[in-house]
Amino acid sequence: MRYIPSGSRAVREMLQRVGVAEIDDLFVTIPEPLKIKAPLQIRPAQSEFSLRRELKAKAATYPTEAFSFLGGGVYRRFIPSAISPVVTRAEFLTSYTPYQPEISQGTLQAMFEFQTLLAELTGMDVANGSMYEGATALAEAVLMAKRIKPKRNRVLVSQGVHPEYLETLRTYLHHQNLEIAVIPLNSAGQTDFHALRQVLDENSLCSLLQVVNFFGVIEDQAAHAELTQAAGCLNIASVLEMTSLGMLEPPGSFGVDIFVGEGQSLGLPLSFGGPNLGVFACKKAYVRKMPGRLSGQTVDQEGRRAFCLTLSTREQHIRREKATSNICSNQQLCALWVSMYLSLLGRKGLKELAEMNYSKGREAKKLLAAVPGVKIRHSAAHYNEFVIELPQKALRVWEELDRRGYLAGIPLVWFDPADDQALLVNVTEVNPKEEIEALALALKEVL
Amino acid sequence: MNPGRKGLVLAEPLLFERSKSGKGGMELPEWDVETYPTEEIPPHLLRKEEAKLPELSEPEVVRHFTRLSTYNYSLDAGFYPLGSCTMKYNPKLNDWAANLEDFTEAHPYAPYRHQQGLLELLWELKEDLKEIAGMDEVCLHPAAGSHGELLGILLIRAYHQERGDTKRTQVLIPDSAHGTNPSSAAICDLTAVTLPSGPDGLIDMAALDQLMTEKVAAIMLTNPNTCGLFETRIQEVIDLVHQRGGLVYFDGANMNALVGMARPGDMGADVLHFNVHKTFSTPHGGGGPGAGPIGLKSLLADYLPRPLLAKRGEELILDYNRPKSIGRVRSFYGNIGVLIRAWTYIRSMGPDGLVQMTGQAVLNANYIKARLEQDFHAPFGQAHCMHEVLLTDRGQKASTMDFAKGLIDRGFHPPTVYFPLVVSGALLIEPTETESKLALDAFCDAMLELKAMDAETLQASPTGAFVRRVDETLAARKPILRWKEES
Amino acid sequence: METRHELKYTKEHEWVLIEGNQLTLGITDFAQSQLGDIVFVELPEVGTLVDAHEAVGNIESVKAVSEVFCPLAGEILAINKELEDAPERVNTACYDEGWIIRFKAEESDITEADLMDEEEYLAYAKAQE
């Protein structure tokens, strides 16, 4: 096996030093009846050559050439060529969590920079080094809210929150003695703040608003902030399409207490939905109740600036059952990738990218709305994603468009069986105008 | 200006200190639609102040991060014997596989027919993991080991709940366990009850007998445990727990000592997680991403999270129709990029390669033990360890931390220090199978040299790393968690 | 290990100074040296009512956390706010500026409390070293 350096001579020498005749003798502490008697029933080893052929064949079933309008929590992005070669350098890729700061300054400085970049982008005081992904980050935000206000028990969640996030939250809260109340959307596609006002009371722990909601609609963060603040209820904001913060006022400006997001939208590949990147930020006052790793600035013995993991007493390896979370591994490499993406994109680039996505979204809305029988469902402003209503079953249309080479969005019937004539369509900077026009034409033909 | 800090060890400021106004390092795709005005959006929701991102050209950004990378020690550069972390070589083929464009561009909501290749790979990985662990079912969703623990405990709770057995509110956890065990149990609102180790470093049967009451939902055990010892009475432990109505959670962090030799499922474990980034060679990335699939017995299968990989005729699909499911534990289906690497690794190794892997990992650890046990205190006095060896600083002139920092000056990553907590001054050394005898000898020589050094010199180390010892107290007393422009 | 004759001690390595029905509480020299450099002290709110042996705060070093227990039922009268900015005072002056809370308890509870005098505590701490 080419990954194991020891040959038979080295093995012999080592066995001799250890004082046993063969390797099996080292496993004497495993009771005989528990030992495997027959070889594992898995495929025999394959050569690198044959594995690469097989992998290529497996990968090839995905139509990368199709015109894709899929979003819904992960977004297609143009990824600059400069990122991958640097981020996948072995010094980043094959190092462990930076518990030994003297030989991990690269990871630690990069983590500190990531924390700064995300704090800037979201307008929050402090961001951590990352969480697994957006849905678990959202669940952790609610667990954190409970640590801040232990006496309150009701969690208010806008219906505009991604359905898979809501489902994850329900799982995480199942044993927490917290109840969830879902606040519906109004016909414009925004959270119904009249309904929210009616349920807000002294038992309301936190209220969750997805700033650009699952249906692509831009929510009114100001109204949400005003209502939650008045009720003493924690304000949790979430963003999945993070480039929208290039044009939208950042949640921090509205006094949001905890911010969570999905960082995949900041230049990470789709990878079938993982690994992606949970973003987690909060007000400074709550930092000791925060989950996840933090890199902090300090000095070394000679007084030079240095970085190390800090406020670690929050974490499971020290506080065990009283830790702020059970998270250990995070998504450091993905965070590094996003840092590099944001560094390349820069201040002006972020703004322009957001405007481009917004404009492409508007163009797509215009072209698709012009197709006979097609309607844009929500009247409020969208960022780069929106729902179209069709005059017939969406699944049939979707399948027919797929056969013609269009991944034409997400059938909402997957999330709500009654909503069977609607597609969630996403347009980003990687959709040239011709693709949008072609989709409109194809849709017209199919209907 | 001389950019070097020490010759070609280059100094690098923070991104934000490098940033010069007006530049950008990325070209966007062409504007081919009109620029729409933002009149639809109420003005108070529009961003007033630009996010203070850096303003750098592409070569500057590349140089910045490349320089940062040189401040890291890495597994590709040298020996990395972190105990319980299994820092084995990360094959490059695995990275090649995960980075295939058709995998990285796969959207999770694309039609099944386009995903068949990837789903087939995941199916095969699931089957292999079932066989390796001796389990009936495998779920690939968890993003990391501790996420797998959480899922496993949720399944156990669902099992007891369905049987109406609601008084089981405790989890037994040995004192040598990883901190993730008790914290995962806490999220499920279970009380962690500490199970003390006996003088031999193994589970104390008398204590277990006493603590294993009708209030206990499960035991979480790591085997081999974090002292590097196989729990020889595992069968009695598991039988006792089962007899009294509890289930067994098996922490698979140390599977590198078992693969191909023994299977947790055969021992009676009901659910376990794999640390793919340990046992199956996927890179740690400076802290993640990992993947923590779980294996389980069929008595827990009904409760698995949605959606479950399934076959519908010839086609692989994601099955959402699971009425007893605990729900979702994350968005989408798992850390696929990491799982592709694990599949590739298992296929590269084959059944014989995996057995060789385990045997060599255990031999390498025992070789270090044989070379160092005369000079370093090895608690519990067992003849052989498994894949990692536990030593302590008892009787040494300097502390475990000093040895750790001294190793850095000798060109080695330190072992895991001060863990497990059951011994004082722990040095937990896990060499893995991918180190040569030459590397092991060099490490042992360095340990012996450090032992001979006077404590003062050792306490001053490291002197050869990028920075000297870092003031962690200052960092925690006056937290600076982000860069801010000096006013 | 420094101790003070006028103080009473708990098994959690805390000291109390009893003045009528008011008590001042801190951690002992032994406790602070075991913890190492203290980086943060989490304090309760003034006016909080506490049960006997209830945890009222935390003392943290870089790699350890220790809870502060109130040995008697009572009401928090004062907290040492200075520790928010200068937690190191618990290291440098644990019996003086490093005090943690002041609380009020029933006199009958105070007389019945399971507290050690200096000599008993010294023996207790020695046994734990």
Side-chain angles (χ1 to χ4, degrees):
Chain A
M1 209 306 121
R2 69 183 189 280
Y3 303 148
I4 299 176
S6 298
S8 55
R9 189 172 145 193
V11 167
R12 224 168 29 245
E13 285 170 10
M14 285 196 275
L15 285 170
Q16 200 170 13
R17 178 72 192 241
V18 173
V20 295
E22 53 186 0
I23 286 180
D24 278 351
D25 297 343
L26 296 171
F27 289 83
V28 286
T29 50
I30 303 183
E32 209 47 49
L34 292 181
K35 285 190 188 159
I36 294 178
K37 304 297 183 299
L40 290 174
Q41 295 300 303
I42 61 176
R43 279 220 224 165
Q46 274 169 267
S47 71
E48 179 163 3
F49 173 77
S50 100
L51 272 174
R52 275 174 33 178
R53 278 171 56 123
E54 186 173 346
L55 281 157
K56 268 192 176 167
K58 282 189 154 69
T61 62
Y62 196 83
T64 44
E65 72 291 344
F67 290 178
S68 174
F69 297 88
L70 294 169
V74 282
Y75 296 93
R76 295 159 297 109
R77 242 347 38 100
F78 166 70
I79 305 172
S81 314
I83 298 179
S84 178
V86 179
V87 170
T88 58
R89 281 175 65 92
E91 294 84 349
F92 289 131
L93 187 68
T94 74
S95 54
Y96 197 71
T97 306
Y99 289 129
Q100 297 287 341
E102 297 84 359
I103 48 175
S104 313
Q105 286 297 303
T107 294
L108 286 161
Q109 181 172 334
M111 196 187 294
F112 184 82
E113 291 174 342
F114 174 79
Q115 290 166 199
T116 307
L117 286 164
L118 269 293
E120 278 296 334
L121 187 62
T122 60
M124 302 296 292
D125 295 335
V126 183
N128 75 10
S130 69
M131 307 298 283
Y132 303 138
E133 44 78 72
T136 53
L138 185 73
E140 294 263 14
V142 175
L143 296 178
M144 174 171 160
K146 182 70 183 162
R147 291 190 288 277
I148 298 171
K149 292 191 184 279
K151 295 196 174 111
R152 296 181 173 222
N153 287 314
R154 191 185 289 152
V155 179
L156 311 173
V157 187
S158 156
Q159 203 176 8
V161 165
H162 192 301
E164 294 190 5
Y165 284 45
L166 178 55
E167 205 183 336
T168 304
L169 180 67
R170 286 190 195 281
T171 309
Y172 268 69
L173 298 192
H174 188 70
H175 300 290
Q176 290 292 329
N177 196 27
L178 292 173
E179 63 172 286
I180 295 178
V182 176
I183 311 300
L185 302 183
N186 61 24
S187 60
Q190 292 174 312
T191 303
D192 183 346
F193 289 124
H194 297 294
L196 178 62
R197 183 179 287 120
Q198 271 164 13
V199 296
L200 272 170
D201 60 17
E202 65 287 349
N203 195 31
S204 306
L205 171 61
C206 55
S207 175
L208 273 56
L209 186 75
Q210 187 173 314
V211 172
V212 178
N213 71 27
F214 182 64
F215 306 103
V217 171
I218 298 168
E219 294 273 7
D220 190 342
Q221 294 195 73
H224 185 246
E226 199 180 311
L227 279 176
T228 50
Q229 215 160 28
C233 159
L234 293 169
N235 179 350
I236 301 180
S238 155
V239 177
L240 278 53
E241 209 340 346
M242 298 273 286
T243 63
S244 63
L245 294 176
M247 65 186 290
L248 297 181
E249 186 70 344
S253 301
F254 297 101
V256 157
D257 295 290
I258 306 171
F259 172 88
V260 286
E262 173 50 68
Q264 180 279 331
S265 49
L266 297 172
L268 281 163
L270 297 169
S271 294
F272 203 47
N276 29 19
L277 174 68
V279 174
F280 199 107
C282 69
K283 281 184 176 164
K284 201 174 168 193
Y286 303 137
V287 69
R288 285 177 192 273
K289 305 219 185 289
M290 192 181 205
R293 293 188 187 125
L294 287 164
S295 171
Q297 182 181 314
T298 181
V299 293
D300 79 348
Q301 256 172 327
E302 292 175 5
R304 288 179 296 209
R305 177 165 66 188
F307 302 89
C308 64
L309 292 178
T310 194
L311 304 186
S312 305
T313 48
R314 299 166 298 116
E315 293 179 70
Q316 48 76 26
H317 61 285
I318 295 177
R319 226 185 198 107
R320 302 178 77 87
E321 67 272 19
K322 289 182 178 159
T324 56
S325 167
N326 68 335
I327 193 168
C328 182
S329 286
N330 61 7
Q331 306 282 120
Q332 172 56 32
L333 202 74
C334 304
L336 176 70
W337 184 291
V338 161
S339 292
M340 200 163 164
Y341 177 81
L342 286 173
S343 303
L344 288 167
L345 188 60
R347 198 181 287 205
K348 299 271 179 293
L350 173 70
K351 188 164 185 281
E352 192 185 342
L353 178 66
E355 286 164 359
M356 185 182 282
N357 272 269
Y358 172 76
S359 286
K360 294 237 173 193
R362 287 283 295 266
E363 181 79 8
K365 265 205 286 189
K366 188 177 84 182
L367 291 174
L368 294 180
V371 176
V374 174
K375 226 176 77 197
I376 307 297
R377 174 174 288 177
H378 299 122
S379 58
H382 299 84
Y383 176 58
N384 64 1
E385 194 161 24
F386 53 90
V387 177
I388 57 172
E389 290 183 348
L390 304 172
Q392 48 179 285
K393 297 278 188 234
L395 267 182
R396 191 202 70 80
V397 176
W398 182 74
E399 277 166 10
E400 181 53 36
L401 285 169
D402 176 38
R403 272 190 284 276
R404 294 171 183 229
Y406 299 88
L407 303 173
I410 302 166
L412 289 181
V413 65
W414 289 349
F415 305 99
D416 176 3
D419 198 2
D420 59 358
Q421 297 195 15
L423 288 176
L424 180 65
V425 178
N426 169 251
V427 187
T428 76
E429 75 279 5
V430 302
N431 292 111
K433 190 179 178 188
E434 305 90 75
E435 281 190 14
I436 307 171
E437 288 167 343
L439 174 69
L441 202 64
L443 186 58
K444 194 174 165 188
E445 287 168 15
V446 167
L447 288 179
Chain B
M1 202 182 76
N2 182 355
R5 242 184 70 180
K6 287 178 196 161
L8 281 176
V9 177
L10 299 164
E12 181 60 23
L14 290 167
L15 272 173
F16 315 95
E17 295 161 344
R18 257 185 172 281
S19 172
K20 293 280 183 298
S21 142
K23 283 193 226 163
M26 176 173 158
E27 279 166 10
L28 298 181
E30 286 72 12
W31 270 99
D32 56 4
V33 296
E34 66 175 284
T35 307
Y36 281 81
T38 53
E39 87 293 343
E40 286 186 345
I41 307 171
H44 71 280
L45 299 180
L46 288 171
R47 188 154 195 146
K48 283 173 256 324
E49 214 177 297
E50 286 175 5
K52 290 191 196 66
L53 302 186
E55 303 189 278
L56 297 165
S57 63
E58 180 176 322
E60 289 171 303
V61 173
V62 167
R63 193 162 277 172
H64 173 80
F65 287 101
T66 302
R67 284 186 179 185
L68 290 194
S69 79
T70 65
Y71 307 164
N72 274 0
Y73 183 78
S74 68
L75 180 56
D76 273 8
F79 194 36
Y80 219 123
L82 277 172
S84 249
C85 301
T86 314
M87 293 295 281
K88 63 168 73 177
Y89 172 65
N90 306 147
K92 302 302 165 194
L93 169 63
N94 302 357
D95 299 332
W96 177 90
N99 290 324
L100 280 169
E101 201 176 70
D102 312 67
F103 286 150
T104 59
E105 290 192 9
H107 194 287
Y109 289 137
Y112 292 137
R113 70 184 186 101
H114 300 317
Q115 317 278 19
Q116 288 303 300
L118 188 47
L119 292 177
E120 184 184 54
L121 181 149
L122 296 176
W123 181 273
E124 289 167 357
L125 175 62
K126 174 171 89 84
E127 293 300 305
D128 286 352
L129 292 178
K130 274 160 66 175
E131 169 68 10
I132 287 167
M135 288 296 191
D136 301 328
E137 193 50 84
V138 156
C139 169
L140 300 172
H141 290 214
S146 61
H147 199 207
E149 287 176 24
L150 171 64
L151 172 54
I153 299 295
L154 286 170
L155 298 180
I156 288 173
R157 286 220 70 175
Y159 166 83
H160 288 309
Q161 238 158 23
E162 193 182 1
R163 293 158 53 94
D165 199 350
T166 51
K167 61 187 178 302
R168 295 186 184 269
T169 55
Q170 299 177 346
V171 179
L172 295 184
I173 299 174
D175 50 8
S176 58
H178 292 105
T180 50
N181 290 184
S183 56
S184 297
I187 299 180
C188 305
D189 195 31
L190 293 174
T191 309
V193 175
T194 302
L195 185 60
S197 305
D200 54 0
L202 304 176
I203 289 174
D204 181 338
M205 288 305 291
L208 176 68
D209 185 38
Q210 200 193 344
L211 294 171
M212 186 58 224
T213 66
E214 74 285 352
K215 284 190 177 158
V216 174
I219 184 172
M220 293 182 92
L221 47 85
T222 310
N223 193 18
N225 66 22
T226 62
C227 304
L229 305 174
F230 190 86
E231 293 282 356
T232 48
R233 294 180 293 266
I234 182 83
Q235 203 67 79
E236 294 158 71
V237 170
I238 290 180
D239 288 348
L240 182 74
V241 172
H242 281 161
Q243 272 161 25
R244 298 193 187 165
L247 295 185
V248 176
Y249 185 92
F250 194 102
D251 182 326
N254 292 340
M255 275 299 284
N256 214 48
L258 294 185
V259 174
M261 298 286 182
R263 308 194 301 174
D266 298 342
M267 298 172 201
D270 297 297
V271 52
L272 94 162
H273 76 261
F274 299 91
N275 294 90
V276 162
H277 45 292
K278 297 180 182 178
T279 317
F280 301 111
S281 81
T282 73
H284 280 74
I294 61 163
L296 49 137
K297 292 284 172 61
S298 47
L299 80 168
L300 296 173
D302 281 352
Y303 317 111
L304 276 171
R306 275 190 293 263
L308 204 62
L309 192 53
K311 276 189 172 155
R312 187 172 58 193
E314 286 298 292
E315 197 183 37
L316 285 161
I317 59 153
L318 295 157
D319 181 10
Y320 286 83
N321 183 19
R322 308 208 30 100
K324 288 187 189 173
S325 166
I326 57 156
R328 270 189 172 274
V329 289
R330 58 164 297 155
S331 60
F332 308 114
Y333 326 117
N335 281 353
I336 307 303
V338 181
L339 297 171
I340 292 169
R341 288 176 166 92
W343 180 95
T344 309
Y345 180 71
I346 293 171
R347 281 296 178 84
S348 303
M349 299 297 278
D352 300 339
L354 289 175
V355 170
Q356 196 194 346
M357 157 197 116
T358 307
Q360 192 67 45
V362 172
L363 175 59
N364 285 1
N366 276 284
Y367 181 69
I368 290 180
K369 182 169 187 282
R371 280 214 53 195
L372 294 179
E373 68 188 342
Q374 304 304 314
D375 293 275
F376 289 85
H377 170 238
F380 310 127
Q382 286 216 356
H384 304 304
C385 59
M386 295 296 283
H387 65 306
E388 57 191 350
V389 52
L390 177 62
L391 302 174
T392 82
D393 61 1
R394 190 155 107 195
Q396 304 295 334
K397 284 176 281 186
S399 71
T400 284
M401 189 53 79
D402 299 327
F403 274 94
K405 303 303 182 191
L407 279 168
I408 291 175
D409 278 341
R410 290 274 190 278
F412 297 97
H413 194 285
T416 293
V417 292
Y418 300 105
F419 182 85
L421 309 171
V422 286
V423 296
S424 159
L427 280 152
L428 187 62
I429 305 165
E430 181 180 2
T432 83
E433 71 281 5
T434 61
E435 296 300 329
S436 67
K437 178 171 177 291
L438 218 59
L440 304 180
D441 278 327
F443 173 79
C444 294
D445 293 345
M447 285 290 285
L448 295 171
E449 281 170 39
L450 294 176
K451 179 191 167 77
M453 278 167 66
D454 63 282
E456 234 165 77
T457 318
L458 212 48
Q459 278 154 10
S461 58
T463 54
F466 182 67
V467 292
R468 299 286 304 277
R469 277 196 209 193
V470 166
D471 189 345
E472 298 186 43
T473 303
L474 176 69
R477 273 188 188 154
K478 308 260 179 271
I480 302 174
L481 304 171
R482 57 170 293 185
W483 178 84
K484 263 193 185 137
E485 209 161 8
E486 309 230 341
S487 47
Chain C
M1 182 195 346
E2 190 197 337
T3 48
R4 297 260 171 104
H5 185 66
E6 68 275 20
L7 304 176
K8 299 285 185 197
Y9 299 87
T10 74
K11 290 197 165 114
E12 281 81 33
H13 300 280
E14 292 164 347
W15 57 262
V16 283
L17 174 68
I18 304 171
E19 294 163 302
N21 67 346
Q22 297 197 5
L23 300 91
T24 307
L25 178 145
I27 66 168
T28 65
D29 187 36
F30 175 84
Q32 71 78 19
S33 71
Q34 291 281 308
L35 272 167
D37 290 340
I38 287 160
V39 298
F40 180 67
V41 181
E42 188 187 3
L43 298 162
E45 278 178 38
V46 171
T48 311
L49 297 176
V50 294
D51 292 332
H53 309 296
E54 191 183 326
V56 293
N58 284 299
I59 302 183
E60 300 185 9
S61 63
V62 171
K63 299 211 160 111
V65 186
S66 174
E67 289 185 311
V68 179
F69 294 97
C70 197
L72 300 165
E75 181 189 346
I76 307 290
L77 297 176
I79 53 173
N80 186 354
K81 274 213 164 279
E82 306 284 316
L83 298 181
E84 281 172 14
D85 286 324
E88 63 274 13
R89 287 188 184 178
V90 179
N91 290 123
T92 56
C94 65
Y95 295 114
D96 301 301
E97 293 97 80
W99 67 276
I100 295 168
I101 54 167
R102 197 162 289 143
F103 64 101
K104 188 170 74 179
E106 295 288 333
E107 302 223 13
S108 57
D109 286 351
I110 297 172
T111 38
E112 281 168 30
D114 184 19
L115 298 170
M116 291 175 270
D117 64 21
E118 185 186 22
E119 202 179 323
E120 289 166 331
Y121 176 68
L122 274 169
Y124 174 76
K126 281 245 160 64
Q128 296 211 340
E129 260 178 334

